[in-house]
Amino acid sequence: MSIRHGRSFVRFVLVGILNTGVGLALIFVAKGLFGWGDLAANVFGYAVGLAVSFLLNRNWSFEHRGAVSPALLRFLAVFLAAYSSNLVTLFGLIDLFGMNAYVAQALAVIPYTLLFYLGSRWFVFRSDTGSQPASEAP
């Protein structure tokens, strides 16, 4: 693993920790204080972090210097795939296994994060001239 690759991974993880903390806090506040259901609370928590995540990951984690619009469209596509995995996990844990909704919300972050990292690294913030991430482009 190159130093640049390792640095982008660490930065992605730090952005993810920030977004996860903020997102989960907003989900729990929406559920606990506002009485929102799981879906509405989940959408709210993830929506708030979406713009911040794109900006921090593009500019800091992956140091992407390609065109913004194509990267944003790819980011939204990867987000939708990762978020879908989050919802499938969330409602599977709640409905199929009877898990506590708060625990399920926290666990559903795992597949979301894994898919989002891989998609961001190899698809969203790739070099516009090839398949390498921008941070590893020659």
Side-chain angles (χ1 to χ4, degrees), residues 8-137:
S8 70
F9 178 74
V10 169
R11 288 178 177 185
F12 182 86
V13 168
L14 292 173
V15 170
I17 290 170
L18 174 68
N19 282 336
T20 299
V22 169
L24 283 173
L26 291 173
I27 288 167
F28 293 169
V29 165
K31 285 179 59 60
L33 292 180
F34 302 126
W36 291 7
D38 287 305
L39 181 60
N42 193 277
V43 168
F44 174 65
Y46 278 87
V48 170
L50 194 57
V52 173
S53 177
F54 176 76
L55 292 172
L56 287 176
N57 280 311
R58 179 181 185 273
N59 295 315
W60 189 57
S61 300
F62 298 105
E63 300 173 356
H64 182 255
R65 300 296 176 247
V68 174
S69 295
L72 179 59
L73 291 175
R74 292 188 301 259
F75 180 83
L76 292 173
V78 169
F79 167 75
L80 288 174
Y83 187 62
S84 295
S85 75
N86 172 273
L87 292 178
V88 167
T89 302
L90 173 65
F91 289 105
L93 292 173
I94 293 170
D95 296 337
L96 298 176
F97 297 102
M99 186 174 285
N100 174 280
Y102 290 94
V103 174
Q105 291 279 8
L107 290 175
V109 168
I110 296 168
Y112 168 84
T113 302
L114 292 174
L115 285 173
F116 212 174
Y117 173 74
L118 293 173
S120 292
R121 177 115 192 103
W122 297 109
F123 180 61
V124 175
F125 300 114
R126 69 176 191 241
S127 167
D128 285 346
T129 60
S131 60
Q132 281 184 311
S135 62
E136 288 187 1

